[in-house]
Amino acid sequence: MKNKGFTLIELMIVVAIVGIITSIAYPTYMGFVKNGTRSAAQSDLMALAAAMQRHKAANFSYEGAADGGANTGAPAVFHAHSPSSEPVANKQYSLTISTVTGNGTSYLLLATPVSGTAQASDGKLYYFSDGRKGWDKNNDGTLGNAEYCWKC
């Protein structure tokens, strides 16, 4: 009588193959997730920039656009969450109005990765009132010449 089934060696080979495939696929998958989350933060910055333009149209200045009428800090709009992301408990980036200069004629917006999330080491995203964009890709706290873009 012939037994049907798998031997232990055959099962171990299958487990090894699945492990190899997983070790290759998982980092690639996480890269796609980080890129997607960064794209959502870029969209959030553009939505905040549009809100800043609406604020300036109503007030003739960017001053006072932060929460509580302040010039900098969490924006009055989207202060609890980013508009394109999940609920606030799952947020990956915090939006802030970093600076308002020139008597309220220019600004700098930041999307800062939330610590303790997968994005924490991804670097800040910048949006300047003159339309320049930046991504601190190497996460050193400054924008180098090659980092004045979002798709560097």
Side-chain angles (χ1 to χ4, degrees), residues 46 125-128 130-135 143 147-150 152:
M46 295 304 292
L125 294 167
Y126 297 75
Y127 186 83
F128 298 87
D130 62 4
R132 290 178 298 142
K133 301 169 185 171
W135 171 33
L143 282 179
E147 294 178 323
Y148 278 93
C149 64
W150 279 349
C152 304

mmCIF file of all heavy atoms in Angstrom, residues 46 125-128 130-135 143 147-150 152:
data_model
loop_
_atom_site.group_PDB
_atom_site.id
_atom_site.type_symbol
_atom_site.label_atom_id
_atom_site.label_comp_id
_atom_site.label_asym_id
_atom_site.label_seq_id
_atom_site.Cartn_x
_atom_site.Cartn_y
_atom_site.Cartn_z
ATOM 1 N N MET A 46 -1.086 70.786 0.080
ATOM 2 C CA MET A 46 -1.723 71.572 -0.985
ATOM 3 C C MET A 46 -3.106 72.063 -0.530
ATOM 4 O O MET A 46 -3.489 73.205 -0.822
ATOM 5 C CB MET A 46 -1.847 70.745 -2.262
ATOM 6 C CG MET A 46 -0.505 70.366 -2.870
ATOM 7 S SD MET A 46 0.572 71.752 -3.239
ATOM 8 C CE MET A 46 -0.319 72.528 -4.548
ATOM 9 N N LEU A 125 8.131 67.421 5.009
ATOM 10 C CA LEU A 125 7.740 67.980 3.718
ATOM 11 C C LEU A 125 7.511 69.471 3.912
ATOM 12 O O LEU A 125 6.927 69.887 4.910
ATOM 13 C CB LEU A 125 6.458 67.316 3.211
ATOM 14 C CG LEU A 125 6.578 65.834 2.879
ATOM 15 C CD1 LEU A 125 5.195 65.230 2.699
ATOM 16 C CD2 LEU A 125 7.420 65.625 1.648
ATOM 17 N N TYR A 126 7.961 70.271 2.957
ATOM 18 C CA TYR A 126 7.866 71.725 3.026
ATOM 19 C C TYR A 126 7.026 72.232 1.861
ATOM 20 O O TYR A 126 7.103 71.702 0.756
ATOM 21 C CB TYR A 126 9.260 72.360 2.904
ATOM 22 C CG TYR A 126 10.218 72.021 4.014
ATOM 23 C CD1 TYR A 126 10.824 70.772 4.093
ATOM 24 C CD2 TYR A 126 10.536 72.965 4.982
ATOM 25 C CE1 TYR A 126 11.723 70.472 5.100
ATOM 26 C CE2 TYR A 126 11.446 72.667 5.992
ATOM 27 C CZ TYR A 126 12.021 71.416 6.046
ATOM 28 O OH TYR A 126 12.908 71.125 7.049
ATOM 29 N N TYR A 127 6.262 73.293 2.120
ATOM 30 C CA TYR A 127 5.580 74.010 1.046
ATOM 31 C C TYR A 127 5.711 75.507 1.337
ATOM 32 O O TYR A 127 5.313 75.978 2.400
ATOM 33 C CB TYR A 127 4.099 73.628 0.935
ATOM 34 C CG TYR A 127 3.458 74.282 -0.265
ATOM 35 C CD1 TYR A 127 3.577 73.712 -1.519
ATOM 36 C CD2 TYR A 127 2.783 75.481 -0.147
ATOM 37 C CE1 TYR A 127 3.027 74.325 -2.639
ATOM 38 C CE2 TYR A 127 2.239 76.107 -1.253
ATOM 39 C CZ TYR A 127 2.364 75.514 -2.495
ATOM 40 O OH TYR A 127 1.831 76.132 -3.592
ATOM 41 N N PHE A 128 6.291 76.225 0.397
ATOM 42 C CA PHE A 128 6.513 77.665 0.543
ATOM 43 C C PHE A 128 5.420 78.429 -0.212
ATOM 44 O O PHE A 128 4.905 77.949 -1.219
ATOM 45 C CB PHE A 128 7.885 78.051 -0.021
ATOM 46 C CG PHE A 128 9.036 77.393 0.693
ATOM 47 C CD1 PHE A 128 9.479 76.136 0.304
ATOM 48 C CD2 PHE A 128 9.668 78.026 1.739
ATOM 49 C CE1 PHE A 128 10.542 75.521 0.946
ATOM 50 C CE2 PHE A 128 10.736 77.422 2.394
ATOM 51 C CZ PHE A 128 11.171 76.167 1.999
ATOM 52 N N ASP A 130 5.579 80.755 -2.197
ATOM 53 C CA ASP A 130 5.897 81.058 -3.597
ATOM 54 C C ASP A 130 5.822 79.825 -4.500
ATOM 55 O O ASP A 130 6.180 79.880 -5.664
ATOM 56 C CB ASP A 130 7.270 81.730 -3.718
ATOM 57 C CG ASP A 130 8.410 80.851 -3.223
ATOM 58 O OD1 ASP A 130 8.170 79.684 -2.850
ATOM 59 O OD2 ASP A 130 9.556 81.340 -3.201
ATOM 60 N N GLY A 131 5.340 78.706 -3.960
ATOM 61 C CA GLY A 131 5.136 77.495 -4.747
ATOM 62 C C GLY A 131 6.268 76.490 -4.686
ATOM 63 O O GLY A 131 6.137 75.382 -5.200
ATOM 64 N N ARG A 132 7.382 76.836 -4.046
ATOM 65 C CA ARG A 132 8.479 75.868 -3.920
ATOM 66 C C ARG A 132 8.059 74.749 -2.978
ATOM 67 O O ARG A 132 7.316 74.958 -2.032
ATOM 68 C CB ARG A 132 9.747 76.534 -3.401
ATOM 69 C CG ARG A 132 10.392 77.465 -4.390
ATOM 70 C CD ARG A 132 11.620 78.146 -3.807
ATOM 71 N NE ARG A 132 11.219 78.959 -2.664
ATOM 72 C CZ ARG A 132 11.927 79.098 -1.563
ATOM 73 N NH1 ARG A 132 13.077 78.492 -1.422
ATOM 74 N NH2 ARG A 132 11.494 79.864 -0.577
ATOM 75 N N LYS A 133 8.579 73.569 -3.269
ATOM 76 C CA LYS A 133 8.286 72.393 -2.454
ATOM 77 C C LYS A 133 9.602 71.752 -2.052
ATOM 78 O O LYS A 133 10.590 71.833 -2.782
ATOM 79 C CB LYS A 133 7.464 71.390 -3.261
ATOM 80 C CG LYS A 133 6.166 71.955 -3.763
ATOM 81 C CD LYS A 133 5.524 71.018 -4.762
ATOM 82 C CE LYS A 133 4.278 71.672 -5.335
ATOM 83 N NZ LYS A 133 3.727 70.929 -6.442
ATOM 84 N N GLY A 134 9.600 71.111 -0.890
ATOM 85 C CA GLY A 134 10.810 70.444 -0.438
ATOM 86 C C GLY A 134 10.510 69.203 0.366
ATOM 87 O O GLY A 134 9.454 69.084 0.980
ATOM 88 N N TRP A 135 11.445 68.270 0.320
ATOM 89 C CA TRP A 135 11.345 67.043 1.113
ATOM 90 C C TRP A 135 12.722 66.765 1.688
ATOM 91 O O TRP A 135 13.686 66.562 0.942
ATOM 92 C CB TRP A 135 10.864 65.890 0.243
ATOM 93 C CG TRP A 135 10.934 64.535 0.893
ATOM 94 C CD1 TRP A 135 10.762 64.241 2.216
ATOM 95 C CD2 TRP A 135 11.197 63.293 0.241
ATOM 96 N NE1 TRP A 135 10.893 62.890 2.437
ATOM 97 C CE2 TRP A 135 11.159 62.283 1.228
ATOM 98 C CE3 TRP A 135 11.455 62.940 -1.072
ATOM 99 C CZ2 TRP A 135 11.368 60.945 0.939
ATOM 100 C CZ3 TRP A 135 11.666 61.598 -1.355
ATOM 101 C CH2 TRP A 135 11.617 60.612 -0.363
ATOM 102 N N LEU A 143 17.069 71.467 4.328
ATOM 103 C CA LEU A 143 16.847 71.186 2.915
ATOM 104 C C LEU A 143 18.118 71.498 2.133
ATOM 105 O O LEU A 143 18.575 72.635 2.111
ATOM 106 C CB LEU A 143 15.710 72.051 2.358
ATOM 107 C CG LEU A 143 14.294 71.618 2.683
ATOM 108 C CD1 LEU A 143 13.291 72.584 2.076
ATOM 109 C CD2 LEU A 143 14.013 70.216 2.203
ATOM 110 N N GLU A 147 17.079 68.787 -2.566
ATOM 111 C CA GLU A 147 15.858 68.374 -1.871
ATOM 112 C C GLU A 147 14.692 69.343 -2.087
ATOM 113 O O GLU A 147 13.666 69.219 -1.427
ATOM 114 C CB GLU A 147 16.136 68.212 -0.366
ATOM 115 C CG GLU A 147 17.090 67.082 -0.074
ATOM 116 C CD GLU A 147 17.405 66.930 1.405
ATOM 117 O OE1 GLU A 147 17.508 67.936 2.113
ATOM 118 O OE2 GLU A 147 17.542 65.780 1.842
ATOM 119 N N TYR A 148 14.823 70.291 -2.985
ATOM 120 C CA TYR A 148 13.724 71.209 -3.268
ATOM 121 C C TYR A 148 12.790 70.602 -4.316
ATOM 122 O O TYR A 148 12.632 71.114 -5.413
ATOM 123 C CB TYR A 148 14.236 72.579 -3.711
ATOM 124 C CG TYR A 148 14.624 73.443 -2.540
ATOM 125 C CD1 TYR A 148 15.932 73.471 -2.075
ATOM 126 C CD2 TYR A 148 13.666 74.190 -1.869
ATOM 127 C CE1 TYR A 148 16.274 74.254 -0.984
ATOM 128 C CE2 TYR A 148 14.005 74.983 -0.775
ATOM 129 C CZ TYR A 148 15.320 74.992 -0.343
ATOM 130 O OH TYR A 148 15.643 75.748 0.751
ATOM 131 N N CYS A 149 12.236 69.468 -3.961
ATOM 132 C CA CYS A 149 11.234 68.794 -4.790
ATOM 133 C C CYS A 149 10.556 67.740 -3.910
ATOM 134 O O CYS A 149 11.054 67.408 -2.842
ATOM 135 C CB CYS A 149 11.869 68.158 -6.008
ATOM 136 S SG CYS A 149 13.019 66.832 -5.619
ATOM 137 N N TRP A 150 9.448 67.235 -4.368
ATOM 138 C CA TRP A 150 8.760 66.202 -3.612
ATOM 139 C C TRP A 150 9.032 64.812 -4.162
ATOM 140 O O TRP A 150 8.730 63.817 -3.521
ATOM 141 C CB TRP A 150 7.262 66.463 -3.603
ATOM 142 C CG TRP A 150 6.849 67.470 -2.584
ATOM 143 C CD1 TRP A 150 7.586 68.004 -1.577
ATOM 144 C CD2 TRP A 150 5.570 68.080 -2.463
ATOM 145 N NE1 TRP A 150 6.868 68.894 -0.841
ATOM 146 C CE2 TRP A 150 5.597 68.963 -1.371
ATOM 147 C CE3 TRP A 150 4.394 67.977 -3.169
ATOM 148 C CZ2 TRP A 150 4.515 69.716 -0.968
ATOM 149 C CZ3 TRP A 150 3.309 68.731 -2.773
ATOM 150 C CH2 TRP A 150 3.372 69.588 -1.675
ATOM 151 N N CYS A 152 12.150 63.723 -5.249
ATOM 152 C CA CYS A 152 13.623 63.621 -5.380
ATOM 153 C C CYS A 152 14.073 62.173 -5.393
ATOM 154 O O CYS A 152 13.630 61.370 -4.675
ATOM 155 C CB CYS A 152 14.300 64.344 -4.236
ATOM 156 S SG CYS A 152 13.821 66.060 -4.071
#
